[in-house]
């Protein structure tokens, strides 16, 4: 028997609209709407930002930045920089007190998000960027208030330089850095909320002879629910009455629908398509399958959120270094030189550690990289995850909608009757399918339309349950059915020329098979280029699909993918990703609801924009044009951005590595040299300029 006979799929799925197919046809609308939602959320986002693995309360960041900037201007005009009076500065009797008052307002108002972030870092026992900033501005503020008191009230103690200039500029620069970052990167969407929307708000409860609507939250086990055609199934259950076809694409990610009869199980969140059914509820709330998928997504999100970005790690090291150097300076100088000599040294150490350049190093690269990404069809939603790009060893990808278009095309038409041409066969099949919106039907009707083949009149058009369609054309009885129908009705299956392992539909005329049509899901043009690039960069591609083994094997062979796994449920995909993560970092590319747990679980999640909102909400990056070849630009950009990040961290932190011990007086016993605070400020400013210039040289190639 020809090998393709084994690949024939039931034609029963005709006559039903496929939800993933709708997503495919509306891919730009879907992505544009999602981006509009992201931008709306971003424009109104006013309170939360991720730092060091936890959410930091930021307040209204944009308003906070502008108000802080306004407060900073008079402070700079009336306050010397590290004791050096600049040409534009103006001082007068009482100006010190005005500066102190304005600085207090700025310290409390502008510094609030950093204290909030530092609190979170300390609670998780991971001091980082927020802790370093909070330390710097606190020391600068307290010492500056001390300087005001000494210079204006306790004058016998001698003049003391204040740090109001440094305090104000640090707060404003750090707020600017966060503003740049938040303006560049989209908010993390809520995949869990999107999953929850799969369930309807209400259900039809069968109560004896009565049917009444109840909230989905009121559903209990062992209740009987009526599910009408076209409605979402509100809970897991077993069919007790009726037959239907159910769209379970959120589980499998595939376009085919599943025939259901009495005693078959159904899953809450799937869609009932063709007839009313009554189900006995077997799973609700946390016991339902959809809830388990939601929990998998939530667990994966929580696991990923614990990771720290490079800047935060470096800031954490600097925090401990600054404290250690300050303590060493205290122990070394206090017994020898006294408090008046030691205190300015300690303050200089702690303020010089303030991460002006470090705070801008990452946001500037983020802004630049997201801008470049946008012009190349990439929407970056989670910058921190991309820092792992150099460690990626495995690239997982879904099949349907990711590597393939999810759009069935006719590959072979063959007539088994001498006086029956291929165009005649196509005309009859298209006439039978003209009312159907299923992808298989659409493939046939689209080809007929492209060849200007006119549809014939069909009488008595009927669906053959679980098999296909029947109708009468020109007084002849025709059926368009699956191989299963031929076998069940003892009809001979003719041999035919070789073709890819496609979905086969047979045309039957008066109980004689007169032809066949083979359809296949076309592979996206960019898929091969992506696979070749991954392999050339030492990344092993692994295809994970809910489709059958033969369909998976076909795509894997064409794309030269050696490792592939088929017939997978969402939890299967996620477990496979977990297993491979023990051997190396992973990237996952997918488009379906069933991919959401894996997108979250993987170190880098990439969603196809023509896919579901749930997949997009779960991803770190979205391919706006739904072209897998864009993954090449993503990986190139991520690698170059990581290189720039490391360079900027060296410029930002390297300054501190040199300046901290010098500020602590390490050279003083040998040369009598102490780092002038003003020189430290100049070097700090120069470091900031360098990281800004370096960030702007980032390119995708």
């Amino acid at each position: 028997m020809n090998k393709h006979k084994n690949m024939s799929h039931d034609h029963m799925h005709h006559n039903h609209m496929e939800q993933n197919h709708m997503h495919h046809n509306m891919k730009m609308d879907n992505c544009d709407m999602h981006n509009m939602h992201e931008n709306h959320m971003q424009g109104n986002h006013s309170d939360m930002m991720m730092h060091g693995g936890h959410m930091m309360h930021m307040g209204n960041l944009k308003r906070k930045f502008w108000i802080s900037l306004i407060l900073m201007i008079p402070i700079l005009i009336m306050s010397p920089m590290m004791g050096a009076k600049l040409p534009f500065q103006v001082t007068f009797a009482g100006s010190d007190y005005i500066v102190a008052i304005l600085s207090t307002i700025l310290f409390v108002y502008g510094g609030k998000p950093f204290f909030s972030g530092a609190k979170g870092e300390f609670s998780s026992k991971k001091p980082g960027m927020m802790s370093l900033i909070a330390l710097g501005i606190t020391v600068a503020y307290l010492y500056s208030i001390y300087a005001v008191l000494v210079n204006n009230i306790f004058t016998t103690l001698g003049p003391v330089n204040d740090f109001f200039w440094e305090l104000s500029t640090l707060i404003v620069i750090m707020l600017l850095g966060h503003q740049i970052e938040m303006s560049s990167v989209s908010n993390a969407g809520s995949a869990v909320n999107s999953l929850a929307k799969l369930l309807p708000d209400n259900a039809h409860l069968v109560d004896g002879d009565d049917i009444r609507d109840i909230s989905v939250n009121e559903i209990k086990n062992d209740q009987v629910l009526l599910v009408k055609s076209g409605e979402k199934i509100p809970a897991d259950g077993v069919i007790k009455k009726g037959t239907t076809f159910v769209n379970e694409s959120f589980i499998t990610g595939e376009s085919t629908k599943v025939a259901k009869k009495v005693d078959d199980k159904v899953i809450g969140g799937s869609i009932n398509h063709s007839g009313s059914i009554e189900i006995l509820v077997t799973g609700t709330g946390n016991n339902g399958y959809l809830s388990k998928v939601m929990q998998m997504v939530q667990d994966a999100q929580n696991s990923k959120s614990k990771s720290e970005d490079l800047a935060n790690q470096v800031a954490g090291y600097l925090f401990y270094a600054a404290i250690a150097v300050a303590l060493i300076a205290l122990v070394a100088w206090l017994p020898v030189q006294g408090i008046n000599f030691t205190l300015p040294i300690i303050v200089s150490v702690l303020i010089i550690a303030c991460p002006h350049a470090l705070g801008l190093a990452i946001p500037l690269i983020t802004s630049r990289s997201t801008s470049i990404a946008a012009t190349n069809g990439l929407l970056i939603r989670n910058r921190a995850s991309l820092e792992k790009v150099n460690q990626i060893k495995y690239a997982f990808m879904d099949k349907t909608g990711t590597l393939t278009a999810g759009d069935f095309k006719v590959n072979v038409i063959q007539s088994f009757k001498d006086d029956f041409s291929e165009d005649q066969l196509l005309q009859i099949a298209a006439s039978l399918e003209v009312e159907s919106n299923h992808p298989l039907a659409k493939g046939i009707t689209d080809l007929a339309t492209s060849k200007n083949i006119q549809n014939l009149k069909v009488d008595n058009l009927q669906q053959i349950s679980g098999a296909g369609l029947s109708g009468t054309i020109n007084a002849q009885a025709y059926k368009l059915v699956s191989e299963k129908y031929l076998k069940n009705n003892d009809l001979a299956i003719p041999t035919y020329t070789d073709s890819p392992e496609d979905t086969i539909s047979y045309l039957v005329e008066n109980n004689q098979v007169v032809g066949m049509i083979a359809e296949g899901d076309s592979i996206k043009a960019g898929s091969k280029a992506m696979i070749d690039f991954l392999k050339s960069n030492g990344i092993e591609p692994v295809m994970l699909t809910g489709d059958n083994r033969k369909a998976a094997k076909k795509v894997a062979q064409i794309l030269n993918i050696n490792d592939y796994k088929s017939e997978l449920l969402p939890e299967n995909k996620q477990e496979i990703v977990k297993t491979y993560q023990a051997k190396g970092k992973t990237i996952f590319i997918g488009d379906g609801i069933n991919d959401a747990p894996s997108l979250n679980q993987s170190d880098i999640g990439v969603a196809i924009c023509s896919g579901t909102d749930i997949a997009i909400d779960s991803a770190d990056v979205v391919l706006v044009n739904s072209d897998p070849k864009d993954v090449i630009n993503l990986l190139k950009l991520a690698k170059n951005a990581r290189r720039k990040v490391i360079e900027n961290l060296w410029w930002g932190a390297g300054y501190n590595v040199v300046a901290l011990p010098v500020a602590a007086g390490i050279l003083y016993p040998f040369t009598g040299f102490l780092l002038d605070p003003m020189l430290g400020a100049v070097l700090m400013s120069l470091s900031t300029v360098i990281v800004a210039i370096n960030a702007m040289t980032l390119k995708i190639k």
Side-chain angles (χ1 to χ4, degrees):
M1 183 178 291
N2 191 296
K3 67 179 181 178
H4 303 299
K5 295 179 182 179
N6 296 330
M7 186 55 192
S8 299
H9 290 238
D10 288 353
H11 200 73
M12 62 185 178
H13 311 302
H14 289 30
N15 300 327
H16 306 295
M17 186 61 188
E18 213 307 299
Q19 193 174 30
N20 284 352
H21 184 67
M22 292 173 65
H23 278 301
H24 176 77
N25 288 340
M26 298 187 294
K27 66 180 180 180
M28 290 311 297
D29 291 338
N30 178 51
C31 206
D32 289 343
M33 288 300 293
H34 192 87
N35 288 343
M36 287 173 63
H37 171 71
E38 292 286 348
N39 292 334
H40 172 75
M41 289 298 293
Q42 190 180 76
N44 291 283
H45 192 308
S46 64
D47 57 352
M48 303 301 286
M49 185 171 181
M50 179 66 73
H51 266 282
H54 65 275
M55 296 305 293
M56 183 182 71
H57 187 78
M58 293 298 291
N60 191 313
L61 194 63
K62 184 179 289 186
R63 182 172 66 239
K64 193 177 291 290
F65 165 73
W66 285 110
I67 292 176
S68 297
L69 180 63
I70 292 171
L71 288 170
M72 181 187 73
I73 294 172
I75 294 173
L76 298 187
I77 292 174
M78 293 183 285
S79 176
M81 182 181 75
M82 289 283 190
K85 188 173 182 180
L86 301 178
F88 61 81
Q89 289 176 328
V90 177
T91 58
F92 50 87
S95 61
D96 284 356
Y97 295 113
I98 296 175
V99 170
I101 292 171
L102 292 175
S103 296
T104 300
I105 297 171
L106 178 58
F107 175 69
V108 174
Y109 176 74
K112 183 178 179 181
F114 306 115
F115 293 122
S116 175
K119 181 181 178 181
E121 289 178 351
F122 279 117
S123 66
S124 61
K125 298 180 180 179
K126 287 185 177 180
M129 183 72 74
M130 298 300 104
S131 302
L132 191 58
I133 296 171
L135 174 65
I137 63 176
T138 300
V139 171
Y141 174 73
L142 293 177
Y143 189 79
S144 296
I145 294 297
Y146 164 76
V148 171
L149 295 176
V150 169
N151 293 336
N152 293 275
I153 299 176
F154 307 107
T155 55
T156 57
L157 297 177
V160 177
N161 291 331
D162 64 62
F163 292 93
F164 286 127
W165 172 291
E166 291 69 36
L167 169 68
S168 60
T169 55
L170 179 59
I171 290 175
V172 171
I173 287 176
M174 292 302 102
L175 289 174
L176 174 62
H178 291 306
Q179 177 62 31
I180 291 172
E181 191 168 13
M182 289 183 69
S183 297
S184 301
V185 182
S186 300
N187 303 328
S190 175
V192 175
N193 289 343
S194 297
L195 280 167
K197 292 177 183 177
L198 289 177
L199 291 176
D201 294 329
N202 299 307
H204 312 302
L205 176 65
V206 178
D207 188 5
D209 294 331
D210 297 327
I211 297 176
R212 57 187 176 88
D213 286 352
I214 61 172
S215 168
V216 70
N217 296 323
E218 299 176 47
I219 298 175
K220 299 177 181 178
N221 285 344
D222 299 326
Q223 289 181 329
V224 177
L225 303 177
L226 170 66
V227 186
K228 300 177 182 178
S229 178
E231 291 184 338
K232 294 178 180 178
I233 296 174
D236 294 359
V238 175
I239 296 179
K240 289 302 177 185
K241 183 178 180 181
T243 59
T244 188
F245 293 93
V246 175
N247 180 348
E248 295 181 341
S249 61
F250 87 92
I251 303 170
T252 65
E254 305 306 320
S255 60
T256 54
K257 292 177 183 61
V258 182
K260 298 287 184 178
K261 61 184 185 302
V262 173
D263 292 334
D264 284 345
K265 295 179 180 179
V266 292
I267 296 173
S270 54
I271 301 173
N272 176 34
H273 268 269
S274 61
S276 294
I277 56 174
E278 291 185 5
I279 67 169
L280 179 68
V281 177
T282 59
T284 63
N286 294 332
N287 296 322
Y289 185 82
L290 184 59
S291 293
K292 294 176 182 177
V293 175
M294 290 168 65
Q295 187 61 49
M296 285 190 292
V297 170
Q298 186 73 61
D299 291 344
Q301 286 177 338
N302 291 339
S303 175
K304 181 178 285 188
S305 70
K306 294 176 183 177
S307 63
E308 288 186 290
D309 57 50
L310 286 173
N312 212 55
Q313 292 179 44
V314 172
Y317 297 144
L318 279 178
F319 175 83
Y320 287 116
I323 296 294
V325 172
L327 289 175
I328 292 172
L330 175 66
V331 173
W333 294 119
L334 184 59
V336 179
Q337 299 288 352
I339 188 63
N340 290 337
F341 180 88
T342 306
L343 185 58
I345 288 180
I346 294 174
V347 171
S348 294
V349 167
L350 296 177
I351 292 179
I352 282 175
C354 292
H356 283 75
L358 197 59
L360 282 180
I362 307 303
L364 288 173
I365 293 175
T366 299
S367 177
R368 175 69 175 163
S369 61
T370 51
S371 175
I372 294 174
T375 61
N376 286 273
L378 302 168
L379 174 63
I380 297 177
R381 294 164 47 80
N382 180 2
R383 177 265 308 164
S385 66
L386 297 184
E387 293 182 354
K388 306 165 187 172
V389 66
N390 287 343
Q391 301 168 284
I392 296 296
K393 290 187 64 176
Y394 302 99
F396 297 95
M397 56 211 71
D398 181 40
K399 180 179 73 67
T400 306
T402 300
L403 296 174
T404 67
D407 187 10
F408 285 89
K409 303 291 184 184
V410 175
N411 290 325
V412 175
I413 300 176
Q414 185 165 343
S415 173
F416 305 134
K417 189 176 179 183
D418 292 338
D419 60 348
F420 213 82
S421 70
E422 291 182 2
D423 282 354
Q424 285 178 297
L425 191 152
L426 177 62
Q427 184 180 39
I428 293 172
S431 300
L432 292 170
E433 294 280 30
V434 70
E435 299 295 330
S436 175
N437 285 320
H438 188 274
L440 289 172
K442 191 172 184 301
I444 292 173
T445 56
D446 282 353
L447 180 60
T449 300
S450 69
K451 300 180 74 169
N452 295 318
I453 294 176
Q454 300 298 314
N455 290 323
L456 301 172
K457 181 182 178 182
V458 180
D459 296 319
N460 195 30
L461 181 64
Q462 294 181 358
Q463 177 182 332
I464 302 173
S465 179
L469 299 165
S470 68
T472 302
I473 300 176
N474 295 330
Q476 297 291 328
Y478 290 99
K479 298 183 181 73
L480 193 62
V481 294
S482 65
E483 181 180 323
K484 180 180 178 181
Y485 177 88
L486 302 185
K487 290 180 178 179
N488 291 342
N489 289 274
D490 296 325
L491 294 176
I493 303 174
T495 58
Y496 48 85
T497 57
D498 204 3
S499 69
E501 295 180 341
D502 294 328
T503 301
I504 311 298
S505 302
Y506 294 89
L507 183 65
V508 179
E509 180 187 57
N510 298 324
N511 288 325
Q512 179 185 356
V513 180
V514 295
M516 55 76 64
I517 298 177
E519 293 180 81
D521 188 4
S522 59
I523 293 176
K524 289 184 178 180
S527 296
K528 187 67 167 63
M530 178 188 71
I531 298 300
D532 290 344
F533 177 83
L534 292 172
K535 286 187 168 185
S536 66
N537 283 269
I539 301 173
E540 182 180 347
V542 183
M543 186 175 71
L544 306 179
T545 178
D547 207 349
N548 64 77
R549 186 178 182 279
K550 288 187 177 180
K553 182 180 180 181
K554 168 193 167 185
V555 173
Q557 288 177 335
I558 293 174
L559 295 178
N560 196 23
I561 298 174
N562 299 322
D563 192 356
Y564 64 91
K565 302 180 187 338
S566 57
E567 300 177 3
L568 302 174
L569 295 174
E571 59 266 34
N572 302 141
K573 289 186 177 184
Q574 187 183 27
E575 284 303 318
I576 290 171
V577 172
K578 283 184 180 179
T579 300
Y580 278 77
Q581 279 180 319
K583 299 182 285 184
K585 299 294 185 184
T586 61
I587 183 173
F588 189 98
I589 309 157
D591 73 321
I593 297 170
N594 65 314
D595 296 325
S598 298
L599 284 165
N600 276 290
Q601 180 66 46
S602 187
D603 297 288
I604 302 177
V606 180
I608 302 295
C609 198
S610 60
T612 64
D613 283 345
I614 295 168
I616 292 171
D617 284 341
S618 301
D620 301 307
V621 181
V622 179
L623 304 184
V624 176
N625 299 320
S626 301
D627 186 352
K629 189 168 65 175
D630 288 340
V631 171
I632 297 174
N633 284 335
L634 169 64
L635 295 179
K636 286 182 177 179
L637 178 61
K639 286 187 176 182
N640 291 340
R642 176 182 168 80
R643 176 172 52 82
K644 288 292 184 182
V645 165
I646 293 174
E647 290 172 358
N648 271 4
L649 290 178
W650 273 111
W651 281 112
Y655 153 80
N656 295 84
V657 171
V658 174
L660 283 179
V662 176
I666 193 172
L667 299 179
Y668 185 76
F670 312 104
T671 65
F673 175 79
L674 278 176
L675 181 65
D676 190 320
M678 186 173 71
L679 177 59
V682 171
L683 292 175
M684 188 164 52
S685 299
L686 180 61
S687 176
T688 303
V689 172
I690 291 173
V691 300
I693 294 173
N694 190 45
M696 298 313 294
T697 61
L698 173 65
K699 296 180 181 179
I700 201 168
K701 298 297 183 182

